[in-house]
Amino acid sequence: MNDDRDGGRRARGVQRLGAQRLGGRRAGAQRRDARRQDALRQGASAAPGEAAGGARTVRLTKVYGSGDMAVRALDEVSVVFPAGRFTAIMGPSGAGKSTLMHCVAGLEDATSGSVYVGDEELGALSDRRLTRLRRERIGFVFQAFNLLPTLTARDNIVLPMTLAGTRPDGEWFDTVVRVLRLGERLSHRPSELSGGQQQRVALARALVTRPHIVFADEPTGNLDSRTGAEVLGLLRGAVDDLGQTVAMVTHDPVAAGHADAVVFLADGRVVDVMDAPTPDRVLDRMHGLGGRS
Ligand SMILES: Nc1ncnc2c1ncn2[C@@H]1O[C@H](COP(=O)(O)OP(=O)(O)OP(=O)(O)O)[C@@H](O)[C@H]1O
């Protein structure tokens, strides 16, 4: 992405997120259309945040173990996580959701097939470039937060940049911290924060690098329903207002209802993709697949 476009996206993102216009899906679609028109007026081929980013797999297969012990966790999975969209990944326990996320995030090697993050094919990258891509292009929000207990909230948020030897954009950092209401908590350690606050720190850490894609692994699993709804609203807002690409593994049909599309896995295969999901439709589909929903 060129610097001008990146700068424009940042400025618009700061404005939008700063104004906390984190609305519903229809409002989000209207804003995306406005961004596209905005971009077209500026001669760009795609809206800010949509030119780069996103991820996809082509016939991705992952086999754990070998011989009689072999487990085919993913079986020729071809799936797209479109740039600037919010995709949920669902399926019964053992369907391959975590494996898919870990392969796309470059945490696990594919047995065969390909994974692309933006334009980069992960299998073609050296270990060093893969490590860099993970730090700079991929954000993670895990159920277990994965915050370092000895670091303050501020240091946890900027950790990916500290590791990469870069510094956060101060304006962007301030915006993320303000929207996530962490301003008063930056000098606290994780043990001094509530579960919801820890989750918001984890989300701030995922957003602060402005990655190509944010992976959220059961981001609402440990939260009360109000805080869970808030986290989903923030992920939705990051997509609508910043063009962020989000992929979320969840068992919760209500959480999946915040996404633009749901990819259903069963036995390591994609068995369905649902656009504009509602909790009821997702629940029906999950019942059809068996296993827990
Ligand atoms: N490191 C591993 N070694 C061997 N088998 C594994 C490993 N990781 C996952 N598996 C197997 O691969 C299959 C897919 O597992 P995965 O964790 O991706 O499922 P999931 O859909 O995320 O399940 P859950 O909803 O229970 O978290 C399962 O049969 C699992 O036992």
Side-chain angles (χ1 to χ4, degrees), residues 17 22 203 207 233-246:
L17 199 59
L22 306 178
L203 187 53
L207 292 174
L234 289 164
L235 287 172
R236 182 75 247 169
V239 172
D240 291 342
D241 296 321
L242 303 172
Q244 180 65 65
T245 308
V246 175

Side-chain angles (χ1 to χ4, degrees), residues 2-293:
N2 71 36
D3 288 347
D4 284 354
R5 198 182 299 161
D6 202 23
R9 171 183 157 200
R10 188 178 317 156
R12 269 183 292 278
V14 167
Q15 243 176 18
R16 290 200 171 94
L17 199 59
Q20 299 202 26
R21 289 166 53 197
L22 306 178
R25 184 181 301 142
R26 187 179 299 166
Q30 284 170 353
R31 279 197 293 276
R32 272 197 297 279
D33 285 348
R35 270 206 314 272
R36 266 183 210 108
Q37 284 168 13
D38 206 355
L40 287 172
R41 272 199 295 276
Q42 293 171 36
S45 58
E50 294 179 4
R56 66 194 166 96
T57 69
V58 181
R59 302 181 71 176
L60 172 64
T61 297
K62 176 70 183 179
V63 179
Y64 290 108
S66 59
D68 287 351
M69 303 297 285
V71 176
R72 189 170 279 264
L74 295 176
D75 191 4
E76 307 230 331
V77 168
S78 296
V79 69
V80 179
F81 301 107
R85 303 253 295 169
F86 188 175
T87 307
I89 305 166
M90 299 193 80
S93 183
K97 303 178 295 292
S98 300
T99 305
L100 175 61
M101 188 175 71
H102 292 163
C103 287
V104 179
L107 295 169
E108 301 253 22
D109 290 336
T111 304
S112 64
S114 317
V115 176
Y116 295 85
V117 172
D119 295 334
E120 306 243 45
E121 193 202 336
L122 300 195
L125 300 180
S126 64
D127 283 353
R128 203 161 142 240
R129 284 185 60 201
L130 185 60
T131 302
R132 207 169 123 194
L133 178 131
R134 273 204 305 265
R135 272 187 202 144
E136 296 177 1
R137 299 294 185 203
I138 294 172
F140 293 101
V141 182
F142 295 105
Q143 185 177 13
F145 310 136
N146 283 21
L147 302 178
L148 291 187
T150 54
L151 296 185
T152 63
R154 176 192 295 278
D155 289 343
N156 266 292
I157 293 170
V158 300
L159 186 63
M161 297 179 137
T162 310
L163 290 172
T166 57
R167 293 168 65 83
D169 171 329
E171 191 181 7
W172 178 244
F173 175 90
D174 290 347
T175 301
V176 169
V177 162
R178 186 175 68 251
V179 169
L180 294 177
R181 301 197 318 280
L182 289 167
E184 307 289 307
R185 297 277 178 261
L186 287 178
S187 57
H188 289 55
R189 293 196 163 70
S191 61
E192 298 162 338
L193 299 171
S194 70
Q197 287 164 348
Q198 290 181 43
Q199 184 62 293
R200 281 186 267 143
V201 171
L203 187 53
R205 181 182 56 189
L207 292 174
V208 79
T209 55
R210 281 192 292 265
H212 273 352
I213 183 164
V214 168
F215 288 102
D217 191 2
E218 293 269 6
T220 58
N222 282 340
L223 303 177
D224 61 72
S225 59
R226 186 177 148 271
T227 314
E230 190 181 347
V231 166
L232 290 165
L234 289 164
L235 287 172
R236 182 75 247 169
V239 172
D240 291 342
D241 296 321
L242 303 172
Q244 180 65 65
T245 308
V246 175
M248 169 180 72
V249 170
T250 185
H251 289 103
D252 178 2
V254 174
H258 285 71
D260 294 307
V262 181
V263 173
F264 292 94
L265 292 180
D267 295 327
R269 295 176 185 213
V270 175
V271 290
D272 201 0
V273 178
M274 182 187 289
D275 282 322
T278 62
D280 285 346
R281 289 175 62 221
V282 170
L283 195 57
D284 276 355
R285 193 66 189 89
M286 287 298 291
H287 281 147
L289 294 178
R292 67 187 169 126
S293 57

